[in-house]
Amino acid sequence: MSFGERMQEIRIDKGLIQKDIADLLKVTVATISHYEQNTHSPDVQTIAEISKFLNVSSDYLLGIINEPMPIIPDKTIIRLPLNFPKHGIKELKDYINYLILKYKN
């Protein structure tokens, strides 16, 4: 996976739109689109800002590691096995929501 693909995947997973990142970086949405399409590459400082904003290791965005490690650890993060099927994630989220409702109060 390329930088742009990883950036887009994390952005979408976090429910963000390209404009959110563009506003942070004070660039146009087109610039973010170019990053995600890999037609332009951000400089090192911009990669660091994107990494902080998305709370994901720049090593992941750059393809050095294959697991999106958060910069700021979150005790609510559950690490899944690397071979966990992507199609099972929705089922897992649904089950977590069920448990939240079950144990509410």
Side-chain angles (χ1 to χ4, degrees):
M1 238 185 198
S2 67
F3 172 87
E5 291 169 322
R6 287 175 183 231
M7 178 180 152
Q8 181 180 44
E9 178 182 67
I10 296 294
R11 175 183 61 76
I12 291 170
D13 284 350
K14 292 185 178 288
L16 301 169
I17 59 174
Q18 289 179 338
K19 186 172 181 348
D20 296 325
I21 298 176
D23 289 347
L24 167 83
L25 300 175
K26 296 178 177 61
V27 299
T28 65
V29 172
T31 298
I32 301 304
S33 178
H34 288 299
Y35 293 163
E36 290 185 355
Q37 294 173 22
N38 296 300
T39 57
H40 291 85
S41 297
D43 61 28
V44 173
Q45 183 177 350
T46 302
I47 292 171
E49 290 180 44
I50 292 168
S51 177
K52 287 177 194 171
F53 182 68
L54 296 177
N55 190 30
V56 65
S57 165
S58 58
D59 286 349
Y60 174 75
L61 290 175
L62 294 169
I64 296 168
I65 61 174
N66 289 321
E67 191 172 338
M69 304 293 292
I71 297 170
I72 302 167
D74 184 344
K75 292 180 182 175
T76 63
I77 291 176
I78 299 171
R79 297 182 71 155
L80 299 174
L82 291 176
N83 61 348
F84 192 83
K86 286 196 180 234
H87 62 274
I89 292 176
K90 182 188 179 325
E91 187 176 346
L92 182 59
K93 286 179 181 178
D94 290 344
Y95 185 66
I96 289 170
N97 287 330
Y98 160 76
L99 290 175
I100 289 169
L101 290 174
K102 180 178 178 181
Y103 295 109
K104 194 174 186 178
N105 291 342

